Amino acid sequence: MAADDTEEKTPPKVRLMTVHASKGLEFQTVIIAGCEEGLLPHYYATADKDGEELAQAVDEERRLLYVAMTRAKESLALTRARTRLTWGVSRQMEASRFLDEIPADLRRDVRVAAPPSSSRRRRWSSSRRRSDGMLAGF
């Protein structure tokens, strides 16, 4: 079997890492989750700071995001949640200020429908797509 045949049959892999760990690496596709205030920039990096100290902390967080974004060779996705369940409390989340700094012609905003809220857990399947492309529960 030729080396090319082996590479074609190798399933794609997902690597989960922090933005700090991504430095120096490259990937075909990079997905950065959690582009929300409090996560990017992180709350602990900016808490109890003001003036120049706050500006420097925000710049460092921006630099970390930039490093993670530049790890993508072909495609990049930045995601955020509108609501986040943290320690059992559901909170409304504000988009990261860094998202507004990306030029509009380089962005494509996509909204994903949330699963129906119910006390029962519902199963989702990619084979159950609606005509609008969203997943339909069953």
Side-chain angles (χ1 to χ4, degrees):
M1 187 181 300
D4 290 5
D5 293 340
T6 304
E7 289 177 16
E8 289 179 20
K9 298 190 186 305
T10 303
K13 296 178 182 175
V14 173
R15 292 188 183 181
L16 182 63
M17 65 183 66
T18 65
V19 293
H20 293 86
S22 69
K23 188 175 179 182
L25 302 174
E26 283 190 331
F27 304 95
Q28 292 302 113
T29 300
V30 171
I31 301 170
I32 302 172
C35 293
E36 302 141 32
E37 287 295 313
L39 296 176
L40 277 171
H42 196 275
Y43 169 77
Y44 292 133
T46 59
D48 301 325
K49 294 181 179 146
D50 57 9
E52 185 61 31
E53 186 180 22
L54 176 60
Q56 288 176 353
V58 170
D59 285 346
E60 177 63 16
E61 293 287 295
R62 181 182 294 107
R63 186 191 68 74
L64 286 170
L65 177 59
Y66 177 79
V67 166
M69 289 170 60
T70 58
R71 304 303 90 204
K73 290 182 186 179
E74 284 189 26
S75 61
L76 170 68
L78 304 173
T79 68
R80 64 170 286 242
R82 289 179 186 220
T83 59
R84 186 171 290 278
L85 187 65
T86 307
W87 302 104
V89 178
S90 181
R91 298 183 303 141
Q92 294 293 315
M93 302 301 292
E94 184 180 338
S96 171
R97 66 188 84 185
F98 302 145
L99 296 178
D100 290 334
E101 297 173 5
I102 299 170
D105 61 322
L106 297 178
R107 284 193 327 233
R108 185 180 69 203
D109 296 332
V110 177
R111 294 177 190 248
V112 177
S117 59
S118 169
S119 59
R120 287 186 15 215
R121 189 174 268 234
R122 297 207 179 194
R123 293 178 43 200
W124 293 86
S125 168
S126 60
S127 64
R128 303 274 308 199
R129 291 205 181 265
R130 301 184 327 204
S131 61
D132 61 0
M134 297 295 173
L135 296 179
F138 60 94

